[in-house]
Amino acid sequence: MAARVLVGVKRVIDYAVKIRVKPDNTGVVTDGVKHSMNPFCEIAVEEAVRLKEKKLVKEVVAVSCGPQQVQETIRTALAMGADRGIHVEVSGKDYDTLGPLQVSKILAALAKKEEASLVILGKQAIDDDCNQTGQMTAALLDWPQGTFASEVTIDGDKIKVIREIDGGLETIKINMPAVVTADLRLNTPRYATLPNIMKAKKKKIASVKPGELGVDLTSRLEVLRVEEPAQRQAGVKVETVEDLVGKLKEAGRI
Amino acid sequence: MRWALVLLPRLERQTRRLSGKRDFNRSCSLFCVLQESQSFAVNMFKGQISTTQVFPFPSVLNEDQSTFLRELVGPVSKFFEEVNDPAKNDTLEKVEDHTLEGLKELGAFGLQVSTELGGVGLNNTQYARLVEIVGMHDLGVGITLGAHQSIGFKGILLFGNKQQKEKYLPKLASGETVAAFCLTEPASGSDAASIRTTAVPSSCGKYYTMNGSKIWISNAGLAEIFTVFAKTPVKDVKTGEVKDKITAFIVERSFGGVTHGPPEKKMGIKASNTAELYFENVQVPAENVLGEVGGGFKVAMNILNNGRFGMAAALSGTMKGVIAKAVDHAANRTQFGNKIHNYGVIQEKMARMAMLQYVTESMAYMVSGNMDSGATDFQIEAAISKIFASEAAWLVTDECIQIMGGMGFMKDAGVERVLRDLRIFRIFEGTNDILRLFVALNGFQNAGNQLKSLQKALKNPLGNAGLLAGEITKRAKRKAGLSTGLSLQGSIHPELISFLILSLMACQIQLPYQINHLTYVCFADEQFVLHRVADCAIDLYAMVVVLSRASRSLSQGHSSAQHEKMLCETWCIEAHDRIMRDIKFLKSGSSKQIFKNLRAISSAVVENGTVVAPHPLGM
């Protein structure tokens, strides 16, 4: 199968970091905070690399949107086995308001430009938990989608996807080209070895601007305020049922 | 100037008597540094402040190297957090098989081997950063890796010829073969020059036959490639006399005749394999001589010297990890109605732990930075960093257990294992006691050299008027307690200049003056004195190192700069006090009495086989 796979990787705050809200409540503190590849994106890269190792796809291209720092994330994908990278340059205000709609437009444009047969993404990012990019990308391309994948099998020009759904597992068969989003149990990502990181230095990362892809980055959303979850208040013990009813009435609950 | 003529022969006599063996004396002179040395420690003993190597704090990584290093930190940390199980390694008394394989795949076995030969090609500073991660998680694994690459095959990196490098390094870098450093014998530990393993050249000259045994060799049970030190007969070209000198060899287990004993049961670093090695008529090809025939002692000392910065780096990582555990406990444990970190006693412990870690980390990167900048005379600083790091790590971990109380003593908390692992660090790779003597003796050696040139000048006073005049002025100034003129003003941040510089200068002046003064000390007291002189030197170097680092943070406007200034200030005030106190003691009359008593007490106890004083109850 001479297919090309596009994998999206997002640079997010590391899962182990304690998140702090900025004093002006406009967002969270990102300066000097440890960032790494979104865990679901790691699973997506791993799946793409495994398909290449099974000789079911020809080339794996890693894509990330953001400022200069996202190149580190692309390099991690290259160290895991991706062949080349594309850095879509987005910075400043545009980066602050970059969301699934904009990213999916970019990915759709790239998928066409690169003549990809498969786009694999993480099911959601751990910073915004949107769970929209994969679905929007498929819609913009008018391609079938296999989301929450826990198993992917390529069969000729069709893909069998086993999806994790509320009731259990659902198996579907979709045509290629398609968009697949990775769920937790799809695979266990490999560790980037130091020699592979060194080899990755020689792999190419091309830079491209959203304008060149004909994408408009204007956001339809405005973040009004970001707050920490409310502190849990202490409870109150009551002696009798009458007391309880009284307290509830007091609090305006009944 | 008769005092100069008297001093010199005394100095040489003392050095020889102390070493007892000519080889040690020779090694001292091998480390004898040229008068143009840039090393801070060397110049410190001469009463001069040489700032080249210490200010500004070395910044040796270019953008590429820095970015590359940052990319490596993640995967290595991840491996140690998720794959390596230190508790399991400790219980099994070996590194788990899948962990060792994982480390080999990761590329951790050839970090400093060039990329052309299959390694990662890291310089010393980059290596230090990765070794910090290993130190933070598992010292047993740290020693396994260190015994392999930091000393095991370092000889091939430093002294190997092209054929040796191409033959051995690729497999060593991938971990296909493991290496070990073989110097210590049952009768030769600190006295390394007295080893008895022999390597006799064949009559055809094509090979050597090696016989002997080595003890406590890390990786002995795993290794394929051994760097072995043995005595070979060497003919002196000039005199024709044949003497036994040490030669270094690369020995392969496949040569036959190499066997090892069972793994030793140890207090700590249990995961690391330590065993005896036996060489029985092992035939070693002549091409496997490492360095020069007869030049083995120099090879050994250089290997150990070259790997020392790694220890300070690893231990600074260990301390960071342990401090985090202590903080976690102190911030969450409530007693007497408050979180215990609010209590003064705990606060002092935490602060001291932070300071010790800061100093160690600063030393590690100062030394590695100097090495990467091309300095070749860093042996005193490397020795100081090893002494400091091993003792600081022990104190910090001990205090961590104290802060954690009973919990700290429990296996599950994971700290008692770290303490057990740390104990060996004050012993191996040059015991701290020997290294202290080495540091202090270098001071005497260098003071002696300067006096040598003075002695020459004295023979022709008129012709050398300038040198003499300068020396007289210097000593007169010293006696008056004034600075010899060299200023640190340009290199230190204004906020730190104040009395910190003055205290540094005060120590600077006192120390060498004291050394000159001490040459009148009688030989018997020598080691008591040297030990204290070394402590002063260590404290002084530590002061300079933190001044340099804190200065850089202040100049660069780091958010942590004020905190670092506090660490630096506190350290320097206390170090200054310690140095002045030691010098005062050494100058005082009571020191002679104390040393006399110490000697007498020791002698009596040795003669009696145990303590001498009878039981207070009379039974």
Side-chain angles (χ1 to χ4, degrees):
Chain A
M1 250 273 127
R4 180 175 291 132
V5 183
L6 211 66
V7 182
V9 293
K10 187 178 182 185
R11 179 174 181 265
V12 298
I13 296 179
D14 189 85
Y15 74 89
V17 168
K18 191 167 178 204
I19 309 289
R20 282 179 299 137
V21 175
K22 282 201 261 196
D24 60 6
N25 292 100
T26 54
V28 298
V29 177
T30 51
D31 267 346
V33 171
K34 183 171 181 216
H35 283 69
S36 43
M37 190 190 289
N38 180 39
F40 294 107
C41 297
E42 275 180 5
I43 298 175
V45 173
E46 175 65 25
E47 196 60 24
V49 173
R50 285 190 189 185
L51 288 174
K52 192 178 90 161
E53 284 168 353
K54 287 186 211 156
K55 304 231 194 306
L56 294 168
V57 303
K58 187 187 70 179
E59 195 188 25
V60 176
V61 183
V63 181
S64 194
C65 309
Q68 189 63 17
Q69 294 95 308
V70 307
Q71 290 207 0
E72 275 170 34
T73 314
I74 300 175
R75 290 230 176 272
T76 308
L78 295 174
M80 285 171 73
D83 297 295
R84 59 184 169 89
I86 300 177
H87 169 205
V88 181
E89 292 171 0
V90 180
S91 51
K93 271 259 154 271
D94 282 336
Y95 184 58
D96 290 337
T97 56
L98 193 71
L101 182 61
Q102 292 78 21
V103 174
S104 56
K105 285 180 184 172
I106 292 171
L107 290 177
L110 279 173
K112 286 203 202 113
K113 184 165 177 253
E114 295 289 332
E115 293 172 344
S117 337
L118 187 56
V119 174
I120 310 184
L121 306 174
K123 72 170 179 180
Q124 68 198 58
I126 60 171
D127 51 6
D128 53 22
D129 283 324
C130 284
N131 187 354
Q132 296 167 9
T133 310
Q135 293 86 336
M136 283 179 173
T137 310
L140 287 167
L141 287 165
D142 198 22
W143 287 2
Q145 54 184 262
T147 53
F148 308 104
S150 68
E151 198 181 304
V152 171
T153 324
I154 294 191
D155 188 10
D157 59 348
K158 295 203 195 303
I159 312 181
K160 183 180 98 176
V161 181
I162 298 181
R163 307 178 58 231
E164 303 231 5
I165 58 172
D166 286 341
L169 296 171
E170 179 193 58
T171 310
I172 60 170
K173 211 170 211 178
I174 53 179
N175 293 328
M176 297 244 283
V179 174
V180 169
T181 70
D183 206 324
L184 192 65
R185 275 166 277 270
L186 180 58
N187 61 48
T188 309
R190 67 195 59 196
Y191 291 97
T193 65
L194 306 189
N196 281 347
I197 295 175
M198 275 187 343
K199 282 191 208 136
K201 281 203 287 185
K202 300 200 186 91
K203 296 183 185 176
K204 292 215 179 339
I205 300 181
S207 287
V208 67
K209 293 195 170 49
E212 292 167 46
L213 299 169
V215 171
D216 164 29
L217 291 178
T218 342
S219 175
R220 275 70 170 164
L221 301 172
E222 187 192 332
V223 172
L224 297 176
R225 193 176 162 80
V226 176
E227 270 177 25
E228 284 202 12
Q231 288 275 10
R232 207 185 147 160
Q233 298 296 325
V236 175
K237 258 179 146 162
V238 292
E239 297 294 312
T240 68
V241 177
E242 286 78 32
D243 285 342
L244 176 61
V245 174
K247 284 248 184 264
L248 286 171
K249 280 194 175 148
E250 241 174 80
R253 297 299 185 193
I254 52 171
Chain B
M1 297 280 181
R2 269 172 54 235
W3 57 267
L5 300 168
V6 164
L7 272 177
L8 210 49
R10 255 203 103 114
L11 202 59
E12 286 184 357
R13 231 186 12 253
Q14 280 168 356
T15 316
R16 211 170 294 131
R17 230 191 270 156
L18 187 75
S19 64
K21 302 262 184 248
R22 273 193 234 123
D23 270 310
F24 185 79
N25 199 17
R26 201 170 303 132
S27 78
C28 255
S29 55
L30 282 172
F31 292 126
C32 165
V33 187
L34 303 169
Q35 259 176 290
E36 300 81 30
S37 169
Q38 310 263 34
S39 151
F40 178 83
V42 168
N43 284 289
M44 156 176 83
F45 281 114
K46 285 198 242 175
Q48 289 158 216
I49 300 180
S50 166
T51 60
T52 342
Q53 283 188 0
V54 290
F55 286 100
F57 196 86
S59 201
V60 294
L61 299 181
N62 63 33
E63 175 122 22
D64 256 354
Q65 289 169 317
S66 219
T67 315
F68 181 48
L69 181 61
R70 213 161 298 162
E71 289 173 24
L72 301 180
V73 169
V76 176
S77 301
K78 205 167 170 203
F79 185 86
F80 278 93
E81 280 155 27
E82 299 177 10
V83 180
N84 185 53
D85 187 346
K88 201 71 176 292
N89 293 342
D90 184 62
T91 311
L92 287 173
E93 297 194 16
K94 75 178 268 207
V95 180
E96 287 185 285
D97 288 334
H98 75 274
T99 304
L100 208 60
E101 281 314 305
L103 282 166
K104 290 180 185 178
E105 273 166 28
L106 190 63
F109 272 65
L111 296 171
Q112 291 197 276
V113 176
S114 69
T115 48
E116 292 86 49
L117 291 173
V120 189
L122 300 181
N123 65 16
N124 296 306
T125 303
Q126 293 168 315
Y127 178 74
R129 179 62 187 89
L130 294 189
V131 144
E132 227 188 273
I133 301 172
V134 186
M136 187 182 286
H137 290 100
D138 193 335
L139 284 168
V141 169
I143 293 305
T144 304
L145 291 174
H148 166 76
Q149 58 192 313
S150 205
I151 51 174
F153 68 75
K154 192 55 93 62
I156 304 180
L157 278 178
L158 296 175
F159 294 94
N161 58 37
K162 190 162 179 282
Q163 291 82 353
Q164 291 166 334
K165 284 182 175 166
E166 285 173 6
K167 182 172 181 191
Y168 292 108
L169 291 180
K171 286 196 182 157
L172 287 165
S174 68
E176 195 180 324
T177 51
V178 177
F181 179 84
C182 312
L183 178 63
T184 307
E185 295 178 7
S188 310
S190 291
D191 190 4
S194 69
I195 55 172
R196 286 188 231 168
T197 300
T198 54
V200 178
S202 65
S203 41
C204 59
K206 290 210 181 120
Y207 64 90
Y208 290 77
T209 305
M210 187 178 275
N211 275 289
S213 61
K214 300 285 183 188
I215 56 166
W216 300 334
I217 304 302
S218 296
N219 291 350
L222 315 172
E224 252 312 305
I225 308 297
F226 304 89
T227 303
V228 186
F229 298 88
K231 284 266 171 70
T232 48
V234 174
K235 198 168 189 176
D236 191 319
V237 185
K238 284 180 254 171
T239 65
E241 198 190 338
V242 175
K243 285 192 221 163
D244 272 338
K245 288 179 134 192
I246 300 177
T247 305
F249 294 91
I250 304 173
V251 177
E252 294 180 39
R253 196 186 281 269
S254 59
F255 290 162
V258 182
T259 50
H260 67 268
E264 301 283 357
K265 294 222 165 274
K266 307 189 289 286
M267 170 179 172
I269 55 164
K270 292 188 185 190
S272 160
N273 171 278
T274 315
E276 290 185 13
L277 264 178
Y278 313 106
F279 301 99
E280 207 176 342
N281 295 324
V282 182
Q283 290 201 348
V284 184
E287 308 85 70
N288 278 31
V289 168
L290 196 52
E292 286 168 24
V293 174
F297 193 82
K298 183 173 127 191
V299 172
M301 293 304 112
N302 268 294
I303 293 174
L304 290 175
N305 184 40
N306 201 279
R308 270 191 191 125
F309 74 94
M311 204 179 278
L315 295 177
S316 77
T318 310
M319 284 189 264
K320 233 187 222 170
V322 141
I323 289 173
K325 285 206 161 101
V327 168
D328 186 51
H329 182 87
N332 290 307
R333 173 74 171 171
T334 307
Q335 283 287 266
F336 307 114
N338 283 312
K339 297 274 188 251
I340 63 173
H341 74 90
N342 289 304
Y343 298 124
V345 169
I346 299 292
Q347 287 168 346
E348 180 157 358
K349 291 188 201 293
M350 310 269 356
R352 290 197 181 287
M353 285 160 77
M355 277 197 292
L356 287 170
Q357 196 277 338
Y358 186 70
V359 176
T360 307
E361 199 178 60
S362 308
M363 277 190 192
Y365 288 97
M366 172 77 76
V367 174
S368 70
N370 287 339
M371 288 169 77
D372 285 332
S373 306
T376 47
D377 53 351
F378 52 85
Q379 58 270 14
I380 303 182
E381 288 86 347
I384 290 178
S385 71
K386 189 262 184 188
I387 298 169
F388 192 90
S390 53
E391 292 177 7
W394 176 261
L395 288 171
V396 168
T397 308
D398 191 45
E399 281 288 55
C400 171
I401 294 181
Q402 192 67 17
I403 290 175
M404 290 174 77
M407 276 306 293
F409 196 67
M410 298 303 145
K411 217 170 168 184
D412 283 341
V415 193
E416 60 79 35
R417 188 201 78 241
V418 177
L419 193 67
R420 284 187 290 107
D421 286 344
L422 284 172
R423 187 58 187 84
I424 191 66
F425 283 75
R426 285 153 54 192
I427 301 175
F428 66 14
E429 288 209 30
T431 62
N432 287 8
D433 314 275
I434 289 291
L435 288 179
R436 275 191 165 83
L437 294 179
F438 168 68
V439 167
L441 272 174
N442 261 273
F444 277 92
Q445 188 83 20
N446 290 308
N449 284 339
Q450 201 170 16
L451 294 170
K452 235 188 211 155
S453 65
L454 264 184
Q455 192 188 20
K456 277 203 188 127
L458 285 169
K459 292 194 175 152
N460 178 12
L462 290 175
N464 286 296
L467 173 65
L468 288 172
E471 203 57 39
I472 294 168
T473 329
K474 239 200 270 176
R475 282 163 203 279
K477 270 193 177 158
R478 253 187 232 152
K479 282 209 139 133
L482 294 167
S483 113
T484 48
L486 207 64
S487 147
L488 286 161
Q489 296 267 345
S491 2
I492 297 201
H493 195 273
E495 282 189 54
L496 290 172
I497 283 187
S498 62
F499 82 105
L500 290 170
I501 302 299
L502 296 176
S503 57
L504 180 63
M505 305 273 252
C507 299
Q508 197 69 29
I509 307 315
Q510 293 286 359
L511 191 59
Y513 176 69
Q514 222 26 58
I515 289 179
N516 291 344
H517 193 72
L518 289 168
T519 49
Y520 293 107
V521 159
C522 90
F523 163 69
D525 283 347
E526 193 135 358
Q527 289 199 352
F528 295 114
V529 168
L530 287 175
H531 184 103
R532 286 159 178 80
V533 166
D535 278 343
C536 293
I538 294 169
D539 257 330
L540 203 51
Y541 184 61
M543 281 169 77
V544 156
V545 153
V546 294
L547 274 168
S548 176
R549 185 157 166 213
S551 275
R552 187 180 72 164
S553 294
L554 283 164
S555 316
Q556 292 179 346
H558 284 187
S559 48
S560 61
Q562 287 305 315
H563 179 86
E564 290 186 53
K565 181 183 165 189
M566 265 196 300
L567 289 170
C568 174
E569 204 173 69
T570 319
W571 178 264
C572 288
I573 297 174
E574 296 196 330
H576 172 249
D577 283 346
R578 278 192 296 267
I579 297 174
M580 293 319 229
R581 201 185 51 210
D582 273 344
I583 291 181
K584 189 171 169 203
F585 172 70
L586 286 172
K587 276 199 228 180
S588 74
S590 57
S591 65
K592 277 206 144 332
Q593 185 58 44
I594 300 245
F595 295 155
K596 189 166 163 218
N597 289 355
L598 292 174
R599 263 201 312 280
I601 296 171
S602 173
S603 213
V605 169
V606 167
E607 203 182 305
N608 201 42
T610 176
V611 294
V612 172
H615 198 275
L617 299 180
M619 32 181 122

